[in-house]
DNA sequence: AAATAATACCTAAGAATTTTATGCATAAGA
DNA sequence: TCTTATGCATAAAATTCTTAGGTATTATTT
């Protein structure tokens, strides 16, 4: 029973953290796909750490968003899973399927187009008109 | 009764349109605020047209998203409304309040930070590591 | 030794924001 | 006269997150 109490009392450090910028909804899947495109295979926790590292702690992927997203990408056939046991702990490695690689290209160009459009809207070149 | 039937039968041209890139959730408010920052006052329909024009038809703001967003921004005290009648049709002109102008600055820098973070994640500088 | 932090997975309820699908009304154009 | 454009609006459904848990092992402090 001690353990149970400890779990409950244990302060969750989930988002006590730093000034993280918000994640605009819809971009998480693309982030996941892009990371996997560059690194062959990764597991969930690794993804959260990689994003934190690359953005210097500015962007945090919550696990509550990540794991359902991974499951969905797998269900859609874009990712394959492979279990591994490291130090008695289970890891689930994800990698792109063939169709996942194709889809990654699409999602990336979609996101890049969106960013271009946002920059068009935010850059006030047109306001001198 | 003829009219009623006509309304029902009338094909809505809402999104029959072109290859529009998706709107990532969370960015609409910032778009609205930014447009109003540059142009003093605008009405809803005008905003949809301006976004379409600036992005060359690539980004479409749906009315179902826009009007509730405008109402919410008004309720939050970021926008003021002013009615006008043009050609027997009503227009609702929105403009930034003082607090709206301040908030616009915050939202813009948030979005810019997000874009910087996304570019960091999408640019594969780190993959040669 | 005991407490805490880090690593590693998971889910469910709720919030926020959008799409889709309507409804209504006038003016302009084909 | 039919259709498109202009102009407002709302409601149901879908999507995608955040928040808040739960479980378990290993590493690090105290």
């Amino acid at each position: 029973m001690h353990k149970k109490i400890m779990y409950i009392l244990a302060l969750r450090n989930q988002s006590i953290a730093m000034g993280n910028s918000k994640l605009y909804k819809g971009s998480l899947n693309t982030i996941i796909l892009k990371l996997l495109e560059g690194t062959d295979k990764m597991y969930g926790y690794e993804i959260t750490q990689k994003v934190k590292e690359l953005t210097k702690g500015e962007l945090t992927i919550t696990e509550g968003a990540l794991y359902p997203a991974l499951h969905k990408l797998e269900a859609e056939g874009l990712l394959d899973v492979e279990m591994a046991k490291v130090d008695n702990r289970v890891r689930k490695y994800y990698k792109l399927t063939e169709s996942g690689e194709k889809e990654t290209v699409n999602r990336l160009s979609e996101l890049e187009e969106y960013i271009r459009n946002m920059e068009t809207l935010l850059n006030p070149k047109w306001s001198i008109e």
Side-chain angles (χ1 to χ4, degrees), chain A:
Chain A
M1 277 310 154
H2 282 306
K3 286 195 173 185
K4 185 93 177 183
I5 292 167
M6 280 167 58
Y7 295 139
I8 294 168
L9 294 181
L11 273 154
R12 283 319 190 85
N13 59 330
Q14 291 222 145
S15 51
I16 295 176
M18 61 233 81
N20 47 1
S21 84
K22 70 196 272 194
L23 218 202
Y24 286 78
K25 294 185 185 180
S27 47
L28 177 57
N29 284 320
T30 309
I31 292 174
I32 294 171
L33 294 173
K34 174 63 190 178
L35 289 180
L36 287 173
E37 193 193 47
T39 36
D40 176 52
K41 71 181 199 300
M42 296 180 88
Y43 55 100
Y45 187 75
E46 191 184 2
I47 292 176
T48 66
Q49 300 308 302
K50 193 71 183 174
V51 170
K52 207 182 279 182
E53 176 202 327
L54 289 171
T55 64
K56 286 157 198 154
E58 277 172 18
L59 199 60
T60 301
I61 304 300
T62 64
E63 299 186 339
L66 178 69
Y67 290 114
L70 287 172
H71 300 160
K72 201 187 167 205
L73 288 170
E74 187 196 349
E76 289 168 351
L78 304 183
L79 299 185
D80 266 345
V81 199
E82 187 191 324
M83 307 286 279
K85 210 171 192 174
V86 180
D87 287 329
N88 227 29
R89 271 206 225 89
V90 177
R91 281 182 190 167
K92 287 178 75 177
Y93 280 98
Y94 290 90
K95 69 173 168 212
L96 292 176
T97 62
E98 260 184 70
S99 110
E101 281 174 32
K102 285 179 198 160
E103 203 28 39
T104 299
V105 179
N106 296 334
R107 305 279 183 108
L108 284 174
S109 61
E110 244 181 29
L111 183 52
E112 272 155 17
E113 188 185 341
Y114 164 76
I115 289 178
R116 277 202 311 278
N117 284 329
M118 290 311 292
E119 274 166 353
T120 302
L121 294 174
L122 303 193
N123 274 337
K125 288 176 201 152
W126 51 275
S127 70
I128 346 154
E129 155 255 325

